[in-house]
Amino acid sequence: MHSMPADLLSAVVTILAILLYFYMSVRVGQMRHKHGVKAPAMTGHPEFERAFRVHYNTLESLVVFLPLLWLSTIYFTPAFYTLAWLPAALGLAWIVGRILYMTGYMADPDKRGTGFGIASLAELLLLILAIAGIVRFSMAITV
Amino acid sequence: MHSMPADLLSAVVTILAILLYFYMSVRVGQMRHKHGVKAPAMTGHPEFERAFRVHYNTLESLVVFLPLLWLSTIYFTPAFYTLAWLPAALGLAWIVGRILYMTGYMADPDKRGTGFGIASLAELLLLILAIAGIVRFSMAITV
Amino acid sequence: MHSMPADLLSAVVTILAILLYFYMSVRVGQMRHKHGVKAPAMTGHPEFERAFRVHYNTLESLVVFLPLLWLSTIYFTPAFYTLAWLPAALGLAWIVGRILYMTGYMADPDKRGTGFGIASLAELLLLILAIAGIVRFSMAITV
């Protein structure tokens, strides 16, 4: 796997993140059915509401995770090529965090903290990589 | 149109999907006004709630549709160039499915199934194309 | 800064937009805590609900803003290179609009119009640039 270019690794991570997200949305539909919460209602049973919030909170996060993953892949890895695996590794950490968030939240909303923290930390590190890559590219041009 | 590169076709599909999404968001605003649902309320009248759910369900889907469309365009089409039109065609199918979803849901929440199914199938096929393309690229590198 | 390529400018704008979005999501968590709105509830106090809607309305917008920003950057700037700064400038206008939207909405939901209008106008102009760029590329191929 270490011989794979960074963009392919990030493509694989993107697919895995989307699969997890699909699974979460299917769970919302199952909970809607199980507890008889008729569309368009978004409330009605705690278990449905938790599944709904897991899905939506992951949606909130996905829309910045994917741009950060790809900005890191495009701008960080060419400049720091010995660390080319790092964006994809942080992407995997985000996915693991989101799985823990899901299982924790479904068990008890108060147990959503650990997974949320791991995923948020992964996002923050991807943000730092993206900024480092953009700064490095900018310096290469203006110098 | 068959002479257009796959990325331009996918760019056109992206624009069309965004136009449909804009239309849905305008409808939410109109329904909010029509039924006097004051912000920040998200409930208050069935027709407003249906328009709101149409918009948000399409949002949920758009955030994976666009990445899958572009992963397919980037990784599938160079490897399977006689099928270079396929990602954009599936993108159009997604848009048609989403239009049927909107019109069905607004008429009756129980009629949202057909459009949802078409759009979901298009996403699933784009997922398969993206995976096929990524696998093909990976094999070309490791062999 | 005028010597920076359009893609780096758009990368910087993407980072700034994501930072604003992060800030909005942190505010939702703070308001949830401040007013004792326990997860998974999404209602319970007007200030929490306003912060929630600011975040989600920006999410709704972000998922089309970023694709439009990058379609403009990829297709418009190579064809109209003297205006290569324009997509990033419109991206900054979107960010300013979204900041005004946030501050206006938190003060009073009726004051969200100005910022929303600026951000929407920026999106509309990015849409026009993207279409112009795609049309120009298509003509260059088919002629």
Side-chain angles (χ1 to χ4, degrees):
Chain A
M1 193 153 156
H2 63 91
S3 65
M4 279 176 74
D7 73 291
L8 272 177
L9 294 176
S10 293
V12 171
V13 168
T14 301
I15 295 289
L16 294 175
I18 288 173
L19 287 174
L20 175 61
Y21 179 80
F22 273 153
Y23 175 74
M24 289 173 175
S25 68
V26 168
R27 292 289 289 164
V28 175
Q30 286 176 337
M31 290 300 157
R32 192 181 273 285
H33 188 74
K34 178 178 171 189
H35 298 296
V37 181
K38 265 189 92 68
M42 291 169 288
T43 53
H45 189 282
E47 199 180 22
F48 168 74
E49 290 172 29
R50 290 201 299 270
F52 182 85
R53 284 306 307 155
V54 164
H55 182 220
Y56 262 67
N57 192 282
T58 302
L59 165 64
E60 293 170 29
S61 185
L62 187 73
V63 299
V64 293
F65 166 64
L66 290 181
L68 289 176
L69 174 66
W70 285 95
L71 285 177
S72 299
T73 305
I74 293 168
Y75 294 106
F76 178 82
T77 58
F80 304 86
Y81 60 91
T82 54
L83 295 171
W85 51 272
L86 193 50
L90 291 170
L92 283 179
W94 184 88
I95 290 169
V96 170
R98 280 283 143 189
I99 291 172
L100 293 175
Y101 175 81
M102 174 178 65
T103 53
Y105 206 145
M106 291 312 289
D108 175 359
D110 289 337
K111 289 184 181 161
R112 70 190 197 279
T114 308
F116 185 85
I118 292 170
S120 299
L121 184 61
E123 279 175 44
L124 188 66
L125 293 173
L126 283 170
L127 176 68
I128 292 170
L129 295 199
I131 292 172
I134 292 166
V135 168
R136 183 72 173 259
F137 258 89
S138 306
M139 285 168 55
I141 288 159
T142 53
V143 170
Chain B
M1 196 154 156
H2 64 94
S3 65
M4 280 176 73
D7 72 291
L8 273 177
L9 293 176
S10 293
V12 171
V13 168
T14 302
I15 295 290
L16 293 175
I18 288 173
L19 288 174
L20 175 61
Y21 178 80
F22 272 153
Y23 174 74
M24 289 173 175
S25 68
V26 168
R27 291 291 288 165
V28 176
Q30 287 176 336
M31 290 299 158
R32 193 181 273 285
H33 188 73
K34 179 179 170 188
H35 298 296
V37 181
K38 264 190 91 70
M42 291 169 287
T43 52
H45 189 282
E47 198 179 21
F48 167 74
E49 289 171 31
R50 290 201 299 270
F52 182 84
R53 285 304 309 154
V54 164
H55 182 219
Y56 262 67
N57 191 281
T58 302
L59 166 64
E60 293 170 29
S61 185
L62 187 73
V63 299
V64 293
F65 166 65
L66 290 182
L68 290 176
L69 174 66
W70 286 94
L71 285 178
S72 299
T73 305
I74 292 169
Y75 294 105
F76 177 82
T77 58
F80 304 84
Y81 60 91
T82 54
L83 296 171
W85 52 272
L86 192 51
L90 291 170
L92 283 180
W94 184 88
I95 291 170
V96 170
R98 280 285 143 187
I99 291 171
L100 292 175
Y101 174 81
M102 173 179 65
T103 53
Y105 205 143
M106 291 312 290
D108 175 359
D110 288 336
K111 290 185 180 160
R112 70 189 197 279
T114 308
F116 185 83
I118 293 170
S120 298
L121 183 63
E123 279 175 44
L124 188 66
L125 293 172
L126 283 170
L127 176 68
I128 292 170
L129 295 200
I131 292 172
I134 292 166
V135 168
R136 184 75 172 259
F137 258 88
S138 306
M139 284 168 55
I141 288 159
T142 53
V143 170
Chain C
M1 195 153 157
H2 63 92
S3 64
M4 279 176 73
D7 72 290
L8 273 177
L9 293 176
S10 292
V12 171
V13 167
T14 301
I15 295 289
L16 294 175
I18 287 173
L19 287 173
L20 176 61
Y21 179 80
F22 273 152
Y23 175 75
M24 288 173 175
S25 67
V26 169
R27 291 290 288 165
V28 176
Q30 287 176 336
M31 290 300 157
R32 194 181 272 285
H33 188 74
K34 179 179 171 188
H35 298 296
V37 181
K38 264 189 93 69
M42 291 169 288
T43 53
H45 189 283
E47 198 179 22
F48 167 74
E49 291 172 29
R50 288 201 300 270
F52 182 85
R53 285 305 308 155
V54 164
H55 182 220
Y56 263 67
N57 192 282
T58 301
L59 166 63
E60 294 169 28
S61 185
L62 187 73
V63 299
V64 293
F65 166 65
L66 290 182
L68 289 176
L69 175 66
W70 286 95
L71 286 178
S72 299
T73 305
I74 292 168
Y75 294 105
F76 178 82
T77 58
F80 304 84
Y81 61 91
T82 54
L83 295 171
W85 50 273
L86 193 50
L90 291 170
L92 283 180
W94 183 89
I95 291 169
V96 170
R98 281 284 144 188
I99 292 172
L100 293 175
Y101 175 82
M102 173 179 66
T103 53
Y105 205 145
M106 291 312 289
D108 176 357
D110 289 336
K111 289 185 181 160
R112 70 189 197 280
T114 308
F116 185 83
I118 293 170
S120 299
L121 184 61
E123 279 175 45
L124 188 66
L125 293 172
L126 283 170
L127 175 68
I128 292 169
L129 294 200
I131 292 172
I134 292 166
V135 168
R136 183 74 173 259
F137 259 88
S138 306
M139 284 169 55
I141 288 159
T142 53
V143 170

